[in-house]
Amino acid sequence: MTTIVSPLSGNLKKVFSLDCEMCYTKDGLELTRVTVVDWKLDNVYDTFVSPDNPILDYNTRFSGVTEECLRGVTTSLREVQAVLLSMIHRDTILVGHSLESDLIALKLVHSSVVDTSVVFPHRLGPPYKRALRNLTAEHLKQIIQDNEAGHDSYEDSKACLELMLHKAQEDLKKKERQNNK
């Protein structure tokens, strides 16, 4: 992969990609896993989370989280919030796909976000969104979310950041072509 030198280069440690997995409880969707990837695509935080309420459906088909994954897990949402708030500051840029769902599950608010579902809009416009796996296949020529066991939040986080790096590279090439005309 090509490294991009940009105005952000001094702030790369302040860019993270985030993905969450959720299950269904009596109170609706609750967090069961969170993964944070840094600018270098390294997994810097990945933990399973014990929901506050009894689980009705692990949502394994989509989340990849099983009863076995959560057996013995005691990490609470509050502990996750404390870790994330120690990493993420006001000037940190969060990248993800449909980030509003992740932030709702985390019960956090953050204003500096880059959402791939917005950057790569559906041709019919909102409320429609393109699937992350389709964006990754089209733009990166990579297959993700191909596991019958469900999604992998590291794979999804990494894909979002790779999509944005790819978009930045393509936009720079386009700008260079326009400047050379």
Side-chain angles (χ1 to χ4, degrees):
M1 179 168 47
T2 307
T3 302
I4 299 174
V5 178
S6 73
L8 279 177
S9 60
N11 296 318
L12 296 184
K13 65 183 179 212
K14 297 178 183 175
V15 177
F16 294 109
S17 185
L18 172 87
D19 187 60
C20 295
E21 302 300 341
M22 285 78 88
C23 68
Y24 290 98
T25 71
K26 69 177 185 75
D27 281 356
L29 285 172
E30 287 192 52
L31 185 69
T32 54
R33 184 178 180 188
V34 60
T35 303
V36 179
V37 173
D38 69 10
W39 185 260
K40 296 176 186 174
L41 305 176
D42 292 328
N43 190 342
V44 294
Y45 184 63
D46 189 3
T47 190
F48 287 102
V49 183
S50 180
D52 291 335
N53 296 288
I55 297 171
L56 302 175
D57 181 353
Y58 285 87
N59 201 25
T60 303
R61 180 175 151 225
F62 297 106
S63 72
V65 177
T66 63
E67 182 177 0
E68 180 63 29
C69 292
L70 294 182
R71 189 168 288 128
V73 171
T74 59
T75 305
S76 70
L77 174 60
R78 279 142 261 356
E79 290 171 297
V80 168
Q81 289 169 330
V83 170
L84 292 178
L85 291 173
S86 74
M87 298 168 57
I88 299 167
H89 304 280
R90 187 181 72 197
D91 56 345
T92 302
I93 299 168
L94 289 181
V95 178
H97 189 76
S98 296
L99 269 172
E100 73 278 0
S101 299
D102 298 320
L103 292 172
I104 288 169
L106 290 164
K107 298 183 180 178
L108 293 176
V109 174
H110 192 71
S111 59
S112 299
V113 299
V114 176
D115 193 323
T116 55
S117 71
V118 174
V119 174
F120 300 93
H122 192 282
R123 64 180 178 80
L124 297 176
Y128 301 102
K129 294 180 181 183
R130 297 185 63 195
L132 179 60
R133 71 177 179 187
N134 294 342
L135 292 173
T136 304
E138 178 183 335
H139 296 281
L140 303 177
K141 310 300 184 230
Q142 294 176 7
I143 304 298
I144 66 166
Q145 300 176 348
D146 195 32
N147 187 341
E148 288 183 19
H151 295 192
D152 175 352
S153 54
Y154 169 69
E155 179 181 61
D156 290 358
S157 294
K158 186 173 161 269
C160 289
L161 204 45
E162 288 175 320
L163 276 167
M164 293 315 305
L165 289 168
H166 175 77
K167 172 120 175 77
Q169 288 171 336
E170 292 302 309
D171 288 353
L172 283 172
K173 287 178 192 175
K174 188 179 194 179
K175 187 174 183 176
E176 286 174 7
R177 285 191 300 268
Q178 289 173 345
N179 289 340
N180 291 330
K181 286 185 179 180

